[in-house]
Amino acid sequence: MKNLMDKYPRVLDLLPKAKKRLPHFASEYLFSGTGYDLAIKNNTEILKNIFLTPKYVQGVVEPKLKVNLFGDIYDAPFGVAPVGLTGLIWPRAEKYLAKMSVKNNIPFALSTVACASIEDTAKHLDGRGWFQLYPPDDKSIRNDLLKRAKSSNYKVLVVTADIPASSRRERLRLAGVSVPPKNNLRTFYHAAIRPSWSFQTLTNGLPKFGTMDQYMDGNWHGTKKVKAGFAGSQMKRFLDWDYLKEVKDIWKGPVVLKGVMHSDDAVKASRIIDCIYLSNHGGRQLDLAPSPIQILPEVRKSLKKDFPIIIDSGFYSGQDMCKAIMLGANFVMTGRPFFIGIAALGEIGAQHVHDIIKDEIQNVMEQVCCKDIKSLPKEKLSINNNYYLKDLN
Ligand SMILES: Cc1cc2nc3c(=O)[nH]c(=O)nc-3n(C[C@H](O)[C@H](O)[C@H](O)COP(=O)(O)O)c2cc1C
């Protein structure tokens, strides 16, 4: 029998199987962008136009992939981006991803609106988790979330900035996706023709917001009821620098600002927090947004040389990730690829996606004779691309 790597040597080789096992509404939830899907398509298209020029004759090359972020050493320069309503995609996904991240010493960021709670997921994280905060308007809820994450030993806080409006999610409307999911004939039909998903969902229970649910029942310290449509209601739509400073003071640990897309914001944020996370939310928020990789060189130039930059949106392979690191990112996160793996293969799918990406990075580095991931940007490579990387000299 073929081993997994021979059967699925690239993340996208898992896609047909994932699509076959996901109900239509779950698949649309995972794979849709917003508007006309321009940003999501551009995210992957733009990466195809970046090439690396190898230098050879470097003697023995045993590439080092380890990266130091906030004083912690990770075994590879990539991690799992925060994804909400995870259980709609695949039940227990947070548990699978948390375990995989600890086993392989890479970060996993738990979303505020994931289905498993801060506390339940922490049981699998060995004190190494990252927590993503959709900043609540109600500061008492915010402070409680931070307290819960801290006392559950999460290390790094990721504050998401890019939801000044909830996106229109046209494809989700068409697919009839709602939060919570509707119990109607259409949903039942789509679930019924995907038996693995339905079986897992029946044994795990319907998706819920594990962390946020307690604030939604109207009983939490007498606060008013939080609507399930979180992005448009309770979450802080208009984040400001003072709020961010307060979060940094309360957290007393590394804070990352996610969703930064402009070098002005990057420079301002770098005076308050510890790391910039370039992202267009995987093309799910502003359909007009460029790919973060298009603004990466400019942002890199505008920040101090050693100020860390994380990037995501459209990175489906180790090759893609090498390109981001080459252009000045310190670390790459990825969202959909891990869920493609889980949807296709269950728990081992998370591990397999990790193995594919790590293997690809290692191979690129060997191919270009690069001994250490840290030297990828400056020493070994150049770029063949002439239409958008004007800032790269
Ligand atoms: C289904 C789905 C749900 C997401 N939920 C969140 C979330 O709760 N919080 C957040 O900060 N980002 C969220 N994101 C954005 C991801 O963190 C990440 O920025 C994006 O997936 C990167 O693009 P990629 O999927 O092409 O790797 C979500 C993305 C997807 C696909």
Side-chain angles (χ1 to χ4, degrees):
M1 224 178 63
K2 273 188 168 181
N3 70 25
L4 271 188
M5 201 56 93
D6 290 337
K7 214 166 167 192
Y8 307 106
R10 298 163 296 193
V11 169
L12 289 179
D13 296 320
L14 292 157
L15 190 58
K17 180 150 189 190
K19 288 205 162 165
K20 257 195 205 151
R21 280 163 44 103
L22 286 171
H24 179 64
F25 52 83
S27 176
E28 285 297 275
Y29 173 63
L30 177 60
F31 294 117
S32 63
T34 188
Y36 298 85
D37 278 355
L38 299 179
I40 189 176
K41 284 183 192 139
N42 180 53
N43 283 348
T44 45
E45 279 307 307
I46 208 85
L47 280 163
K48 290 184 192 154
N49 289 298
I50 303 172
F51 300 88
L52 310 182
T53 308
K55 271 200 213 164
Y56 299 122
V57 202
Q58 304 286 330
V60 176
V61 178
E62 285 164 5
K64 291 192 185 68
L65 267 63
K66 289 188 195 297
V67 174
N68 183 336
L69 259 190
F70 321 121
D72 285 314
I73 309 286
Y74 293 100
D75 280 358
F78 65 93
V80 187
V83 165
L85 205 54
T86 346
L88 182 69
I89 308 165
W90 207 264
R92 290 182 280 270
E94 299 91 343
K95 180 176 160 188
Y96 300 160
L97 290 166
K99 283 169 65 185
M100 181 280 297
S101 73
V102 170
K103 181 172 169 211
N104 299 290
N105 189 25
I106 62 167
F108 163 64
L110 179 74
S111 162
T112 313
V113 290
C115 291
S117 68
I118 292 180
E119 292 80 7
D120 284 346
T121 310
K123 291 177 197 151
H124 309 287
L125 279 169
D126 207 14
R128 296 197 238 166
W130 294 14
F131 177 64
Q132 176 265 331
L133 182 76
Y134 272 132
D137 244 334
D138 182 332
K139 291 189 180 174
S140 61
I141 296 184
R142 174 193 75 188
N143 297 350
D144 197 55
L145 284 170
L146 295 179
K147 201 166 109 197
R148 288 171 63 190
K150 200 46 132 185
S151 53
S152 300
N153 290 324
Y154 286 76
K155 275 201 160 170
V156 175
L157 182 73
V158 178
V159 181
T160 297
D162 60 6
I163 51 158
S166 46
S167 75
R168 295 185 74 235
R169 301 276 160 88
E170 294 79 353
R171 278 173 59 185
L172 297 195
R173 292 174 192 225
L174 292 170
V177 179
S178 68
V179 180
K182 281 186 202 130
N183 287 331
N184 58 21
L185 258 183
R186 185 176 176 200
T187 309
F188 281 125
Y189 169 73
H190 283 296
I193 58 172
R194 293 291 184 263
S196 316
W197 183 93
S198 299
F199 177 73
Q200 297 291 334
T201 300
L202 281 175
T203 53
N204 200 52
L206 281 178
K208 56 187 175 86
F209 294 119
T211 294
M212 290 304 286
D213 265 357
Q214 62 179 270
Y215 311 113
M216 290 184 192
D217 61 11
N219 296 323
W220 191 77
H221 296 294
T223 49
K224 61 178 185 305
K225 202 168 172 164
V226 179
K227 275 193 276 166
F230 62 88
S233 61
Q234 183 49 223
M235 298 308 158
K236 192 161 179 66
R237 292 178 55 184
F238 305 110
L239 189 63
D240 57 61
W241 300 112
D242 289 339
Y243 186 104
L244 193 63
K245 271 185 209 142
E246 286 172 18
V247 170
K248 172 67 188 163
D249 287 345
I250 296 167
W251 181 249
K252 299 194 192 344
V255 175
V256 177
L257 188 64
K258 175 173 187 277
V260 175
M261 284 296 289
H262 199 292
S263 53
D264 291 354
D265 285 348
V267 170
K268 277 188 199 141
S270 70
R271 295 184 193 124
I272 300 172
I273 44 96
D274 307 274
C275 174
I276 301 299
Y277 185 154
L278 301 179
S279 170
N280 67 14
H281 218 106
R284 291 166 81 84
Q285 281 297 120
L286 174 68
D287 201 23
L288 280 68
S291 159
I293 202 142
Q294 288 173 280
I295 55 155
L296 172 61
E298 188 193 323
V299 172
R300 180 72 282 168
K301 266 193 192 169
S302 69
L303 295 173
K304 290 200 181 112
K305 223 174 81 213
D306 55 357
F307 194 88
I309 298 177
I310 297 175
I311 191 167
D312 78 16
S313 297
F315 298 90
Y316 275 69
S317 68
Q319 281 85 334
D320 292 343
M321 293 183 184
C322 286
K323 294 173 188 182
I325 293 167
M326 202 272 150
L327 284 165
N330 300 77
F331 212 81
V332 186
M333 300 291 266
T334 183
R336 294 180 183 91
F338 281 105
F339 286 87
I340 293 173
I342 291 176
L345 303 174
E347 183 164 7
I348 51 161
Q351 180 64 39
H352 188 54
V353 167
H354 163 274
D355 294 348
I356 293 172
I357 295 176
K358 192 167 175 187
D359 214 34
E360 286 176 335
I361 295 178
Q362 178 114 8
N363 187 260
V364 169
M365 289 178 66
E366 283 167 359
Q367 292 274 3
V368 299
C369 303
C370 178
K371 291 178 184 162
D372 193 327
I373 196 87
K374 286 198 283 296
S375 54
L376 206 49
K378 31 189 197 302
E379 286 174 32
K380 308 287 177 189
L381 307 172
S382 63
I383 276 192
N384 295 332
N385 178 286
N386 44 22
Y387 78 100
Y388 82 97
L389 290 170
K390 291 184 230 83
D391 287 315
L392 227 215
N393 302 310

